[in-house]
Amino acid sequence: MSSTASVRPLPAGTGGGRKATARGRLPASASNPSSNSKAKHTSPGPSSASTTSLALSGLAKATPNANSKAKTGKPKPKASVRALHPVDTNLAAHDRTDPFAALTTLRQLLSALPARPGSAQYKFGPDEHRLAVHLLGIVEPFVQDTAPCTCGCTCKARRTLVRLPTEILDAVAFWVDGARDLRALARSRGRVGACGRLVRAKASAVRVWHHLVVHRALARNVRRLEVLDERAPAGREVVPAGIRLTETDLESTEDELGMHAKQERWLVRALERMTALTSVKWECGHSLVAFESVWPVLAKCGSIEEVEVHDNLVFQPTPQEDASESEESTSAKPGQLVLRDLKKASFHGSKSTFGASKEPDLTQISAMLNGCPNLETLAISYVPRRAPGFFNPVADDLLLCGRWTRLRSLTLTSLWCTPDAGLDAAAAFLLAHVDLEVLHLDVAFGAGGQAGGGTLATFKFPNGCLPRLRELKASRDLASALLACPTGTEEARPLETLKGVRLSGSLRDRLFSEYLGKYGAQTVRRLELAGWNDMEDVKRLAECVPRLNWLDLGKKEGVASGAAGPASKAAQPANVSSHFTEWANVLANFSELTTFHGVRFFYEVATSDGAVLSLSDRSRVRKNDEVAAVLAWKCPKLRRVDHWEDGAGKVLVLVRDAEKVRYEVRRIKV
């Protein structure tokens, strides 16, 4: 077939001459044989080339009727025939980035359709049809219809994405993960806005789980699932739109004893359909639906990356089994469930007493974590009970058997280890995880969670422990032991942040200061103490780590918060230091200090605009200006200090102008 679009002649014997005669478009040679036309006929009849050419052009002037008389006088000039330019039907010859050229070619292709004779009129050939579709694909993205839609507004009615079938919309939404793209997709009309990513509901919300079970395409697009506590307010729920059923439609009043089993069954069935789930947050603290029954379903989903659990039931001890029963269960035990994509796991206890045990255990958590070989972040925290007879979970087995080669961050809070095997298990664990960068250890090494006397102070960790540690939160004795541990390489440990140390004024404080100055003077930039005793502790720190950028002293030992009472606190806080000049001299030893917390220097004043200050407020304003000037003079880089209100989420920022130093109140995230 030719590569150009040309006009096809009529086949012989189709009666084209009669049709042309009926339309009054006979050629001049047929109506007036004596004319001086230059057209040459190779064959007589209506199928000649000249007849077809003139008929298709549609531009030749029709000749008068053969029965009419010829007019005398000046001969009329002959009508000129406009030539049709051929159109290249090769798709590669048309640029996809030039919509104007495509529109011009499309108009040229369509303009030739009315001039085609007979049954070929207004019809494309196969190559021409393929070219027209190709040109439409180039032009259509740049064409917008501003006609009002069915809802009566002036929005654009032609949207290619919205007009797609539902199955294609689900496939498109499945690959959209960016927050900005999701917002743009949700703002679209109709079915596109129903493609959700977050589902937040209670375990008892059977209507939500039933809706996800029925609508599998919707469940497939869920990325993050949050199971709320039963006492959570209803405003926190985020559920799919279009749920028409209620809880009473799915729950019978006759099976109240099996209500929790029914809720668990529907929740598990909905989870089985969330094949693209990446994050799960479990806060079901007042329900009998256990996370242990949900974990096997999550293990079947290969895309889980983050799991966060807030439930006391995960710390419940496992029931004891007889030797014969344990052998039978071991022989019949299925394969270990593995979550290879899980990177972050955290298990936290709740403040509520629901599900709390007097002797909590980490057996369930250890069994879950054994199937997570690529774990990078692990956090386990328990809320201790002050009532007599309650103990904290024992972490000996977890530290002794848990091994994750890619672990980067570890947080253990309110746990304890036995004095016999706890320190050895912890040393073996830290030695095996050389890539640890963040370590928070709130673990008591002693009987019943009590301090182990001088055992920890004299314990020495093996060489090569934590060579890449950057942040450490531990007690004073544990921090001293880890600082004194050699890294096994010529490079020093890149420790930058140290937290949780409490200085009590004992002889062990001097040992900690000695190790800190010897092994952390060049690297430590941020120090957050849990408590301090007197100003001598701060002076000793200035000698050990003079290059600190951030210093937080915590609470002063022996001073109870709020002891002054609410009345005196409203007038003047009792913990405002009056020795700001002496403190400024101490802080001047930290040449790089930019943030200081733990001691308040500023008095409370009225900050409302246009308020008339009393004599006492004016005195406090002058005092605050004096404090700001002294601190800015002694500490050239100091910028952030404590606000006069405790726990208000505010700080004071020193602003240095050309003439004076002033302070501003800024809000921070608590």
Side-chain angles (χ1 to χ4, degrees):
M1 185 176 291
S2 175
S3 62
T4 59
S6 59
V7 180
R8 293 178 293 182
L10 290 174
T14 57
R18 295 198 235 5
K19 295 181 180 180
T21 305
R23 295 188 182 101
R25 292 198 297 238
L26 278 175
S29 60
S31 61
N32 190 8
S34 62
S35 63
N36 296 329
S37 176
K38 295 182 181 181
K40 297 181 180 180
H41 302 277
T42 57
S43 59
S47 61
S48 62
S50 61
T51 303
T52 305
S53 175
L54 290 174
L56 294 180
S57 65
L59 300 176
K61 184 177 180 181
T63 57
N65 194 359
N67 298 328
S68 62
K69 297 181 180 181
K71 297 182 180 180
T72 59
K74 187 176 179 180
K76 191 174 182 179
K78 294 177 289 182
S80 60
V81 179
R82 186 172 59 184
L84 294 177
H85 298 284
V87 178
D88 190 1
T89 58
N90 186 12
L91 303 183
H94 303 276
D95 188 7
R96 297 185 62 90
T97 61
D98 191 357
F100 298 100
L103 182 61
T104 303
T105 306
L106 186 61
R107 293 182 59 184
Q108 183 180 358
L109 188 63
L110 294 175
S111 63
L113 292 179
R116 295 188 179 183
S119 59
Q121 192 177 22
Y122 298 107
K123 289 185 179 180
F124 276 139
D127 291 347
E128 296 170 345
H129 182 270
R130 191 181 302 108
L131 177 62
V133 174
H134 177 72
L135 296 176
L136 281 175
I138 299 176
V139 176
E140 186 177 8
F142 300 89
V143 178
Q144 296 180 350
D145 190 1
T146 57
C149 61
T150 57
C151 61
C153 61
T154 57
C155 62
K156 299 174 183 178
R158 291 189 61 182
R159 295 181 183 270
T160 307
L161 184 62
V162 179
R163 294 165 57 188
L164 293 175
T166 305
E167 294 79 5
I168 300 180
L169 282 178
D170 293 336
V172 171
F174 179 79
W175 295 102
V176 179
D177 291 330
R180 181 178 180 181
D181 299 334
L182 286 176
R183 285 193 296 267
L185 189 64
R187 291 172 183 171
S188 302
R189 301 186 307 156
R191 300 160 294 157
V192 182
C195 301
R197 284 292 184 270
L198 171 64
V199 173
R200 184 187 295 132
K202 301 177 182 179
S204 59
V206 183
R207 60 186 180 89
V208 178
W209 314 129
H210 176 270
H211 187 78
L212 294 174
V213 169
V214 175
H215 300 82
R216 298 193 175 188
L218 182 60
R220 181 173 174 265
N221 287 326
V222 177
R223 296 292 191 275
R224 180 175 177 83
L225 174 65
E226 296 184 9
V227 183
L228 299 176
D229 187 77
E230 294 299 323
R231 299 183 180 181
R236 291 188 57 191
E237 292 187 350
V238 178
V239 298
I243 301 180
R244 300 180 180 179
L245 298 178
T246 60
E247 308 298 346
T248 56
D249 296 335
L250 299 171
E251 292 182 359
S252 175
T253 56
E254 299 177 357
D255 58 349
E256 293 182 359
L257 297 178
M259 179 179 59
H260 296 286
K262 189 173 185 178
Q263 296 172 0
E264 179 181 332
R265 183 168 63 254
W266 281 107
L267 176 58
V268 170
R269 291 182 61 184
L271 281 172
E272 291 176 350
R273 285 158 177 78
M274 300 179 190
T275 56
L277 199 63
T278 59
S279 176
V280 176
K281 186 177 182 180
W282 183 272
E283 295 180 347
C284 190
H286 291 84
S287 176
L288 294 179
V289 180
F291 183 76
E292 184 181 5
S293 60
V294 177
W295 181 261
V297 184
L298 299 180
K300 297 179 181 178
C301 183
S303 58
I304 294 293
E305 298 179 358
E306 180 180 357
V307 173
E308 183 178 354
V309 181
H310 296 264
D311 194 357
N312 290 329
L313 294 178
V314 295
F315 295 95
Q316 284 284 349
T318 56
Q320 298 292 337
E321 297 181 357
D322 297 337
S324 58
E325 295 180 359
S326 61
E327 292 178 0
E328 294 177 0
S329 61
T330 303
S331 60
K333 186 178 180 180
Q336 177 69 37
L337 300 175
V338 179
L339 278 76
R340 299 189 180 278
D341 293 339
L342 187 63
K343 301 296 189 300
K344 182 178 181 180
S346 57
F347 300 89
H348 309 278
S350 60
K351 296 182 180 180
S352 174
T353 57
F354 183 86
S357 176
K358 289 187 176 181
E359 297 181 358
D361 197 357
L362 300 180
T363 305
Q364 296 185 30
I365 299 177
S366 300
M368 298 177 188
L369 295 178
N370 287 337
C372 308
N374 299 324
L375 197 63
E376 296 181 358
T377 303
L378 175 60
I380 301 176
S381 63
Y382 183 76
V383 179
R385 312 295 169 181
R386 296 183 179 180
F390 284 85
F391 297 91
N392 293 349
V394 182
D396 288 355
D397 294 339
L398 178 67
L399 297 176
L400 187 61
C401 303
R403 295 294 182 270
W404 302 276
T405 56
R406 299 184 180 181
L407 193 63
R408 300 292 186 274
S409 176
L410 176 65
T411 302
L412 301 179
T413 307
S414 298
L415 306 181
W416 72 282
C417 294
T418 59
D420 299 332
L423 284 175
D424 295 334
F429 183 90
L430 298 180
L431 184 61
H433 297 83
V434 294
D435 293 333
L436 269 177
E437 297 180 357
V438 179
L439 178 61
H440 294 184
L441 280 182
D442 183 10
V443 180
F445 295 91
Q450 302 297 326
T455 305
L456 185 59
T458 58
F459 184 80
K460 294 183 179 181
F461 287 90
N463 295 346
C465 284
L466 308 175
R468 298 181 178 88
L469 187 64
R470 296 183 179 275
E471 180 177 336
L472 175 62
K473 183 178 181 181
S475 62
R476 177 196 56 196
D477 297 337
L478 183 58
S480 301
L482 291 175
L483 287 173
C485 174
T487 60
T489 59
E490 297 180 357
E491 299 180 358
R493 185 178 287 108
L495 184 62
E496 298 177 355
T497 304
L498 185 59
K499 304 178 181 180
V501 177
R502 185 180 300 274
L503 302 179
S504 59
S506 62
L507 295 178
R508 297 180 185 175
D509 294 348
R510 299 183 179 273
L511 183 63
F512 167 76
S513 302
E514 179 183 352
Y515 289 152
L516 180 61
K518 185 177 181 180
Y519 301 105
Q522 302 298 327
T523 59
V524 176
R525 294 294 180 269
R526 179 166 179 166
L527 181 60
E528 298 183 13
L529 301 178
W532 59 288
N533 187 42
D534 53 13
M535 193 179 295
E536 295 298 327
D537 299 334
V538 184
K539 294 180 180 179
R540 196 178 300 113
L541 291 176
E543 297 176 359
C544 300
V545 280
R547 301 177 61 183
L548 282 180
N549 296 332
W550 185 298
L551 178 58
D552 189 349
L553 298 181
K555 299 295 182 180
K556 182 175 175 57
E557 295 291 338
V559 177
S561 60
S568 61
K569 183 177 180 180
Q572 174 180 336
N575 53 355
V576 174
S577 177
S578 58
H579 307 286
F580 66 92
T581 305
E582 187 177 358
W583 274 106
N585 294 329
V586 174
L587 297 180
N589 297 323
F590 300 96
S591 58
E592 304 292 333
L593 189 64
T594 59
T595 304
F596 176 70
H597 294 299
V599 180
R600 292 180 177 85
F601 304 118
F602 291 84
Y603 294 88
E604 182 180 2
V605 294
T607 57
S608 58
D609 297 336
V612 179
L613 299 180
S614 60
L615 294 178
S616 60
D617 288 340
R618 293 178 184 177
S619 176
R620 292 173 185 174
V621 169
R622 290 193 297 269
K623 191 68 174 179
N624 290 344
D625 293 340
E626 182 183 356
V627 171
V630 172
L631 290 178
W633 173 43
K634 293 290 184 178
C635 306
K637 296 185 178 181
L638 185 61
R639 175 174 173 81
R640 174 171 159 177
V641 294
D642 279 338
H643 191 263
W644 50 73
E645 295 182 8
D646 189 10
K650 302 177 183 178
V651 295
L652 294 179
V653 177
L654 301 180
V655 180
R656 294 168 173 82
D657 294 337
E659 299 179 355
K660 65 176 184 178
V661 178
R662 56 187 176 87
Y663 59 93
E664 296 180 355
V665 179
R666 304 285 179 85
R667 289 189 176 272
I668 59 173
K669 293 183 179 181
V670 180

